[in-house]
């Protein structure tokens, strides 16, 4: 993946994932891929993140694994080395932007305010992550952004559910959504991989 535009075009939902172990990550990633989800965001919220990215990246030729929760510049090179094809951050700084460029890691940066959006545009981004989407105003905020920023496209993430995802995806400035509802904690704990595949199939058809 050379551009974020290519990544977000591969499916309507990017699952946001955090794993207790690389083995757990492999099982979940395999189940999601079996359900038609080709793009995964494996976060650095746990110590298993980088190892899980390595394993998931080797599961199939058409799987695109990204690293999430990039908050420090050094995360970019670490993730690229682990096999990540793109990065996702909860916010954006110039240092993060430069580090992603240096690592050759396409970045989906997080934004929440009009000032965030202006900075992202100044740095050359036309696709951004609206985070935390629901808490920051949800669909009404996306509608408000559309007037002054008609050329900016969003991947809303944060508080989105299977029920609310279709309404987000109907917005003209939304290209996909991110969410964790495809991997409920109880389902992962029970190792019910078939259920995760079922949820992935539903999400792939949104």
């Amino acid at each position: 993946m050379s551009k974020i535009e290519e990544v977000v075009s591969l499916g309507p939902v990017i699952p946001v994932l955090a794993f207790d172990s690389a083995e757990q990550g492999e099982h979940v990633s395999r189940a999601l891929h079996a359900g038609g989800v080709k793009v995964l965001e494996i976060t650095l919220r746990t110590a298993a993140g980088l190892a899980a990215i390595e394993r998931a990246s080797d599961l199939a030729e058409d799987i695109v694994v990204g690293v999430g929760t990039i908050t420090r510049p050094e995360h970019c090179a670490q993730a690229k080395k682990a096999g990540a094809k793109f990065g996702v951050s909860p916010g954006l700084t110039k240092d993060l932007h430069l580090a992603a460029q240096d690592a050759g890691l396409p970045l989906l940066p997080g934004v929440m305010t009009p000032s965030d959006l202006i900075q992202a545009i100044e740095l050359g981004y036309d696709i951004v992550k609206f985070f935390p989407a629901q808490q920051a105003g949800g669909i009404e905020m996306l509608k408000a952004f559309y007037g002054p920023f008609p050329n900016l496209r969003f991947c809303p993430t944060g508080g989105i559910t299977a029920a609310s995802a279709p309404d987000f995806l109907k917005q003209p400035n939304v290209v996909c959504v991110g969410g964790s509802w495809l991997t409920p904690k109880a389902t992962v704990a029970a190792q019910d991989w078939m259920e995760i595949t079922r949820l992935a199939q539903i999400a792939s058809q949104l």
Side-chain angles (χ1 to χ4, degrees):
M1 296 291 105
S2 60
K3 296 180 179 179
I4 286 296
E5 187 170 11
E6 296 174 40
V7 175
V8 300
S9 70
L10 294 175
V13 180
I14 299 177
V16 181
L17 310 166
F19 298 124
D20 295 330
S21 68
E23 183 180 17
Q24 183 189 71
E26 182 176 345
H27 285 299
V28 172
S29 299
R30 194 186 302 277
L32 288 167
H33 183 262
V37 173
K38 304 293 177 65
V39 181
L40 311 177
E41 178 191 333
I42 298 179
T43 69
L44 299 180
R45 296 176 189 176
T46 67
L50 290 173
I53 288 169
E54 285 190 37
R55 288 212 192 184
S57 297
D58 292 334
L59 289 178
E61 288 187 3
D62 63 343
I63 199 167
V64 179
V65 181
V67 57
T69 321
I70 292 177
T71 56
R72 300 201 305 268
E74 59 266 29
H75 287 158
C76 297
Q78 292 167 356
K80 182 75 172 182
K81 185 177 179 181
K85 297 293 193 298
F86 68 99
V88 185
S89 61
L92 178 63
T93 66
K94 191 171 184 179
D95 285 344
L96 275 182
H97 165 72
L98 292 174
Q101 283 196 321
D102 288 344
L105 191 72
L107 184 65
L108 182 66
V111 298
M112 189 177 74
T113 69
S115 294
D116 292 342
L117 271 62
I118 291 170
Q119 174 172 272
I121 292 168
E122 288 179 350
L123 291 173
Y125 296 93
D126 55 12
I127 301 176
V128 293
K129 167 185 171 179
F130 177 39
F131 177 82
Q134 196 60 54
Q135 297 86 337
I139 289 172
E140 291 307 311
M141 185 65 88
L142 286 165
K143 289 179 179 178
F145 284 154
Y146 191 60
F149 305 103
N151 297 319
L152 203 57
R153 292 171 290 167
F154 297 87
C155 172
T157 306
I160 296 175
T161 65
S164 65
D167 290 331
F168 276 93
L169 289 166
K170 288 177 185 175
Q171 303 310 307
N173 53 352
V174 170
V175 289
C176 64
V177 299
S180 56
W181 78 86
L182 280 70
T183 55
K185 289 183 179 180
T187 305
V188 174
Q191 299 185 15
D192 189 351
W193 313 132
M194 289 183 66
E195 173 62 9
I196 289 175
T197 295
R198 187 187 73 83
L199 293 172
Q201 288 172 335
I202 295 171
S204 296
Q205 294 165 9
L206 287 176

